[in-house]
Amino acid sequence: MVSRPLPAAGRCRRHGDAAASTSSDGTRTLHGVALARVLKTFHKKSRDSSPAAAHPRRVVPADERDRTVKVRDSRKPVEPWATPGVSRPTITSVPVALLASRSAAPARDTHLVTDDSRALLAVALEEARRGFEEGGIPIGSALFDSAGALLGRGHNQRVQREDPSAHAEVEAFRDAGRRRSYRDTTIVTTLSPCWYCSGLIRQFGIPRVIVGESRTFEGGADWLRQAGVEVVVLDSSECVELLESFIARRPEVWDEDIGE
């Protein structure tokens, strides 16, 4: 109920009741329809004076709405088949055997054999011949940096030094000395590295291995490939003949070397 000074009292034209009454202190009180009209006027003035009324919401015309949609659509990537005359590609079935071959380890000898690879092998082959002359197992190895500079070289000396860990790759690795990283090097060996030497390659992150031959002994070549190491097999007949001549003379020493 609202109390406020009013003009002279009157009667409601619609309902016939008094529009206002006067109290003993001279204050007039609204009743019925007159009260409703005053409240309606009060709320209207309140809405007109609000901050939102000062900034009415703009109604975007239909043509502008269309332009807005076009701008948003232009930001989306355009698919080739959205162009007239270009059909959407269809997915065809792939044989299971093909999927299995793609997930398997890389195929052997997929890298090209270059003259540089054979030049690096020549250093390891020289070490293998030196070991053969000493009466040891003719396997040689060498370690090079990415520019082809020789870092270390060596040959198998298990027989000569009575050291079962003196494999050719290990000797070349030791000869190179300590390095901060081996991720820019290439190790060359006349024979596919055994599991022991393959572990050394994996341990120190040597990314590339050049193998003289893997016919006599396969070793851990496939394991290295599966780990992302580049393995290049040159299939050198000189390496095969040198090692087979030793195995024919001393098979028991060869069996000891490969752990059989």
Side-chain angles (χ1 to χ4, degrees):
M1 183 173 65
V2 178
S3 297
R4 55 180 293 183
L6 289 174
R11 300 187 66 83
C12 177
R13 295 180 182 178
R14 182 176 180 182
H15 299 284
D17 57 343
S21 61
T22 305
S23 62
S24 59
D25 60 354
T27 303
R28 293 190 176 184
T29 303
L30 294 177
H31 301 284
V33 177
L35 175 61
R37 289 177 179 174
V38 172
L39 291 176
K40 182 177 181 181
T41 304
F42 174 77
H43 288 306
K44 182 177 183 303
K45 290 182 178 180
S46 299
R47 288 196 302 267
D48 294 341
S49 61
S50 64
H55 302 280
R57 184 174 181 181
R58 179 173 176 265
V59 179
V60 181
D63 57 341
E64 292 190 19
R65 287 199 299 270
D66 295 340
R67 287 198 297 271
T68 303
V69 172
K70 290 179 181 179
V71 170
R72 289 177 181 174
D73 290 345
S74 64
R75 297 177 183 177
K76 297 179 181 179
V78 179
E79 297 176 335
W81 47 84
T83 306
V86 179
S87 59
R88 178 184 289 271
T90 57
I91 300 176
T92 57
S93 60
V94 180
V96 176
L98 178 59
L99 293 176
S101 64
R102 289 181 178 178
S103 61
R108 291 184 53 187
D109 311 333
T110 55
H111 301 87
L112 295 177
V113 176
T114 64
D115 292 339
D116 291 340
S117 299
R118 296 192 180 279
L120 300 181
L121 178 63
V123 178
L125 188 56
E126 181 180 343
E127 286 291 327
R129 293 194 183 101
R130 184 178 302 173
F132 184 80
E133 294 171 357
E134 295 171 354
I137 303 171
I139 302 174
S141 181
L143 186 69
F144 299 87
D145 65 11
S146 58
L150 179 63
L151 301 175
R153 57 192 296 171
H155 54 275
N156 189 302
Q157 298 193 51
R158 296 182 72 253
V159 175
Q160 297 92 311
R161 294 210 314 256
E162 295 289 332
D163 181 358
S165 68
H167 287 214
E169 296 89 335
V170 175
E171 290 301 297
F173 186 77
R174 288 172 175 167
D175 187 57
R178 180 182 176 187
R179 289 176 60 86
R180 175 64 181 83
S181 173
Y182 296 85
R183 299 187 181 281
D184 63 338
T185 63
T186 297
I187 192 164
V188 186
T189 176
T190 57
L191 182 67
S192 183
C194 65
W195 292 103
Y196 170 47
C197 297
S198 296
L200 181 147
I201 294 168
R202 287 282 304 274
Q203 171 67 29
F204 293 95
I206 298 175
R208 189 166 183 253
V209 182
I210 296 177
V211 177
E213 64 102 352
S214 61
R215 283 184 275 171
T216 307
F217 181 72
E218 178 67 22
D222 286 339
W223 181 62
L224 291 173
R225 291 189 183 96
Q226 292 173 5
V229 178
E230 179 184 0
V231 180
V232 181
V233 180
L234 304 183
D235 198 24
S236 166
S237 57
E238 294 178 89
C239 294
V240 173
E241 293 171 1
L242 184 61
L243 184 55
E244 285 185 346
S245 63
F246 175 83
I247 295 174
R249 288 167 45 190
R250 310 216 30 206
E252 74 285 353
V253 177
W254 168 247
D255 290 343
E256 177 189 340
D257 189 69
I258 61 176
E260 292 186 358

